Amino acid sequence: LMEVGVGEATTLNFTLSHLKSLGASVPSFGFDISLSRLLFAEKFLREHGNKSQLFTATLGRIPLPESSVHAVYSCHSLEPNYGREKDILREMLRVSSEFLVLVEPSYELGSDGTRAHIEKHRYVRGLADSLRELGAEILRHELWGLDVNPTNQAALIVARKPGGGKPVPAELSSPVSGRQMRPHGSFLFSPDDGLLFPVVNGIPCLLVENGVLCTRLPSFL
């Protein structure tokens, strides 16, 4: 599974701990645009006996192959991306091999107060409709009911990827070309791009702007 916009991994940690209590050990990923938040996330997970492959990335360019993660989910991570809903959902569906799970503010199911809050902060809208337009099957769409802020009600949306996807290994790939990368000490190298991406405290930095051009690097390895 993978959480997008994982932040300090509070939700991911709860998820992994719950799965562990059920006797399930599930490989997981989590990414965020902020390296600092991921450093705190790694520490938080470790302190609670959990671990996950964390990396920096953006919602619109996830450095993993198509159909490489069984379930991709978000928890108030898409929230501030009004106007980009369909592009982000398309990318999440690309990476998923079967399920997409969203816990995000709901303009459609929320109260008048929630709708006013969403309009004020320009939060996402129409996620279920966007998923349908992308061909996904909506399995559940209902109020979440566990909101900390009663004027920011979230909906739970569970969707299945259209046509499913033949699962492939979930190996980090270049955010530029999507091609395979090779680990070399404190960085990952993409021979197809001629770019290397740093790894800081075990966390690959895979924003496009993190890439360092070094096409002749293999000659010195």
Side-chain angles (χ1 to χ4, degrees):
L1 62 86
M2 177 173 65
E3 180 177 344
V4 306
V6 71
E8 290 83 13
T10 51
T11 302
L12 179 59
N13 181 70
F14 177 84
T15 303
L16 295 176
S17 294
H18 179 66
L19 289 170
K20 190 184 296 183
S21 73
L22 299 175
S25 178
V26 181
S28 66
F29 292 87
F31 72 83
D32 200 276
I33 197 170
S34 168
L35 176 58
S36 292
R37 296 187 78 181
L38 293 177
L39 291 170
F40 280 107
E42 191 279 329
K43 180 175 182 288
F44 184 72
L45 289 170
R46 180 165 27 87
E47 289 173 346
H48 287 81
N50 292 314
K51 63 179 180 179
S52 181
Q53 173 63 72
L54 305 175
F55 55 93
T56 66
T58 61
L59 291 168
R61 198 182 288 258
I62 303 173
L64 284 167
E66 183 174 349
S67 300
S68 60
V69 181
H70 182 68
V72 178
Y73 77 90
S74 74
C75 186
H76 290 270
S77 304
L78 277 57
E79 194 173 77
N81 289 278
Y82 177 60
R84 300 180 57 216
E85 291 92 343
K86 190 174 288 187
D87 289 340
I88 290 171
L89 293 172
R90 182 183 291 110
E91 179 67 352
M92 292 173 68
L93 285 170
R94 180 189 69 80
V95 174
S96 168
S97 66
E98 187 163 8
F99 293 110
L100 192 64
V101 180
L102 308 176
V103 177
E104 297 291 344
S106 179
Y107 192 85
E108 296 72 31
L109 302 182
S111 65
D112 290 343
T114 289
R115 285 190 286 274
H117 186 79
I118 289 172
E119 289 173 359
K120 177 181 178 181
H121 294 281
R122 294 181 59 80
Y123 284 168
V124 291
R125 303 171 206 177
L127 295 176
D129 287 341
S130 292
L131 283 167
R132 290 189 186 98
E133 291 171 12
L134 292 168
E137 176 188 3
I138 304 298
L139 303 177
R140 294 180 68 176
H141 183 200
E142 60 200 47
L143 283 173
W144 176 237
L146 299 172
D147 308 294
V148 175
N149 181 355
T151 61
N152 192 30
Q153 293 170 288
L156 167 67
I157 301 175
V158 181
R160 179 178 281 122
K161 181 173 181 169
K166 184 178 180 181
V168 302
E171 298 176 347
L172 293 175
S173 56
S174 166
V176 176
S177 66
R179 304 295 291 274
Q180 184 180 19
M181 292 192 294
R182 300 172 183 170
H184 292 282
S186 61
F187 61 88
L188 297 171
F189 181 67
S190 171
D192 295 294
D193 303 337
L195 294 172
L196 63 87
F197 294 87
V199 177
V200 179
N201 283 17
I203 299 174
C205 299
L206 300 178
L207 303 178
V208 171
E209 55 266 36
N210 294 148
V212 177
L213 182 62
C214 192
T215 56
R216 300 302 297 172
L217 181 65
S219 301
F220 298 92
L221 295 177

